[in-house]
Amino acid sequence: MRRINVVHLGEGTWGWEKWSKPVLCPLASWGTINLTLVDDHEETPPEIAALAQEGIVTYLPWNRCLQSQECQRWEVAFVITPADSQAMICRALLEAALRLRKIVLEKPGGSTPEEIAEVDEAAEARGVEMIWCDHYLLRPPIQFLISEGKDLLHSLGPIQRISGAILERKADGPRIASVVPDVVIHLLNLCRVIFPDSHFVPKSAELRRAKNAENYRRDTYAFVVGEYVTPFGVVIP
């Protein structure tokens, strides 16, 4: 069986604990894939070092990976990085990784809708399939709502109001990316799954930054209000 050449970019807490460690590294150890792990550390991170020494994975720093021989072998890329770097990474992969056929991208895919659309168009032009992932949709309560709750929701008749909240568990909040595309998008994705072919029209938003704002590059708290328009003509404020 031919091994698939895979690269995983972004070995932070989420990328390592939820993607590389439980999924991609076992596939590499079983001989299903050839796996390259990429991050911005110049030296191999400690959690990866043993796997690299055993030859199970290859580690490359970002500043050298696109010029490597491995880059010319990659067929599938997993981009699990902060929102404000995703579009840049995808554009670089589309230009440098000539055998690339699929990009698995954790939401949202960029910092702005324009950035996301630009990457999607560039991928389509090159014949690379974009697979957009939202891990919140895989959580058991959400899966139950998707599988069992849709009929119940529709049976209620016209819905007058939908509200939702996501609280960051870290004491200092999301430090890297803007909270609107990086966090609020989970709620909009869920509504889109429950009400297919619908869209959200924002009316107003309040954005705030943490008190020690010098340590933050973007807004860390947000309150967004708008209308959710469904194919049934129902407007949900």
Side-chain angles (χ1 to χ4, degrees):
M1 181 178 66
R2 187 181 74 85
R3 295 187 181 191
I4 301 172
N5 295 294
V6 176
V7 60
H8 177 274
L9 300 103
E11 289 304 311
T13 300
W14 178 257
W16 172 249
E17 293 293 338
K18 303 300 183 180
W19 290 83
S20 291
K21 182 180 178 181
V23 179
L24 298 177
C25 288
L27 288 175
S29 67
W30 299 334
T32 305
I33 64 175
N34 295 317
L35 179 60
T36 303
L37 303 178
V38 174
D39 207 286
D40 54 5
H41 307 290
E42 192 64 31
E43 301 296 329
T44 305
E47 63 270 19
I48 300 172
L51 295 171
Q53 289 174 358
E54 294 175 27
I56 295 175
V57 305
T58 299
Y59 176 78
L60 290 172
W62 167 251
N63 61 8
R64 296 204 311 267
C65 73
L66 297 179
Q67 293 77 39
S68 67
Q69 293 182 348
E70 283 80 2
C71 177
Q72 299 309 313
R73 302 187 187 104
W74 296 336
E75 301 165 83
V76 179
F78 288 79
V79 180
I80 316 298
T81 64
D84 57 358
S85 65
Q86 290 177 338
M88 177 273 292
I89 290 172
C90 288
R91 285 194 293 263
L93 287 171
L94 290 170
E95 292 178 4
L98 300 182
R99 294 186 62 190
L100 195 64
R101 292 295 175 264
K102 298 180 186 295
I103 296 179
V104 180
L105 181 64
E106 196 198 12
K107 61 80 207 160
S111 297
T112 66
E114 292 77 16
E115 231 181 24
I116 297 169
E118 177 191 336
V119 170
D120 195 39
E121 290 172 4
E124 184 177 2
R126 241 213 65 184
V128 175
E129 180 183 5
M130 301 292 291
I131 302 174
W132 310 83
C133 297
D134 183 351
H135 56 86
Y136 274 49
L137 298 181
L138 301 178
R139 299 187 178 190
I142 302 301
Q143 282 289 297
F144 176 81
L145 180 61
I146 292 172
S147 62
E148 306 294 336
K150 292 173 69 174
D151 291 339
L152 175 61
L153 289 174
H154 287 299
S155 72
L156 297 176
I159 297 175
Q160 298 300 316
R161 183 181 180 87
I162 290 179
S163 63
I166 295 179
L167 300 177
E168 176 62 50
R169 294 291 184 180
K170 297 178 183 178
D172 55 0
R175 295 182 62 117
I176 304 297
S178 171
V179 70
V180 174
D182 197 43
V183 180
V184 174
I185 194 67
H186 291 301
L187 295 173
L188 299 181
N189 282 347
L190 175 59
C191 288
R192 184 68 178 269
V193 170
I194 296 174
F195 302 101
D197 301 319
S198 54
H199 63 278
F200 179 70
V201 181
K203 296 297 184 182
S204 62
E206 292 285 341
L207 308 178
R208 291 292 184 268
R209 299 179 72 188
K211 290 182 179 179
N212 54 335
E214 66 276 6
N215 294 330
Y216 295 81
R217 290 158 56 184
R218 299 291 179 87
D219 52 277
T220 52
Y221 305 97
F223 180 77
V224 182
V225 178
E227 296 178 340
Y228 209 86
V229 184
T230 74
F232 314 105
V234 179
V235 178
I236 304 168

